[in-house]
Amino acid sequence: CHMKFKRNKSQLWSIPEGADHARSYTSTGYLSDETVYQDDVEKVLAAVGPGLGGRGRLTMLSSAGPSAFELICFDKHGGT
């Protein structure tokens, strides 16, 4: 899905799950929904980080559940 907003010249893209898809774009924001159910969350974070640069925003949403997302939220992933 791709939406364009003429008034502020912005765009919104919906992309499939996975680091390879996320790596394909450069953006000022990245929203991940139900992150706990996504495979390879840490690989996705590594993929989107450079595209966001120093000023981009990463937002991750999810219901509760054991996963890499939990480790990231509570800074138990050992740092990457």
Side-chain angles (χ1 to χ4, degrees):
C1 178
H2 179 215
M3 297 170 61
K4 290 184 179 182
F5 302 93
K6 291 181 182 181
R7 182 173 288 182
N8 64 0
K9 299 179 183 176
S10 65
Q11 299 181 48
L12 176 67
W13 288 84
S14 173
I15 60 173
E17 173 187 347
D20 290 337
H21 296 289
R23 187 179 296 107
S24 301
Y25 298 93
T26 299
S27 62
T28 55
Y30 182 83
L31 171 69
S32 175
D33 190 23
E34 287 300 347
T35 308
V36 74
Y37 298 108
Q38 296 179 23
D39 297 326
D40 299 326
V41 173
E42 290 180 319
K43 288 181 182 178
V44 171
L45 288 176
V48 301
L52 293 173
R55 304 183 121 210
R57 174 179 287 205
L58 171 66
T59 305
M60 301 171 82
L61 309 168
S62 196
S63 51
S67 72
F69 179 62
E70 176 188 18
L71 301 177
I72 293 164
C73 286
F74 295 103
D75 197 24
K76 297 178 184 176
H77 66 288
T80 55

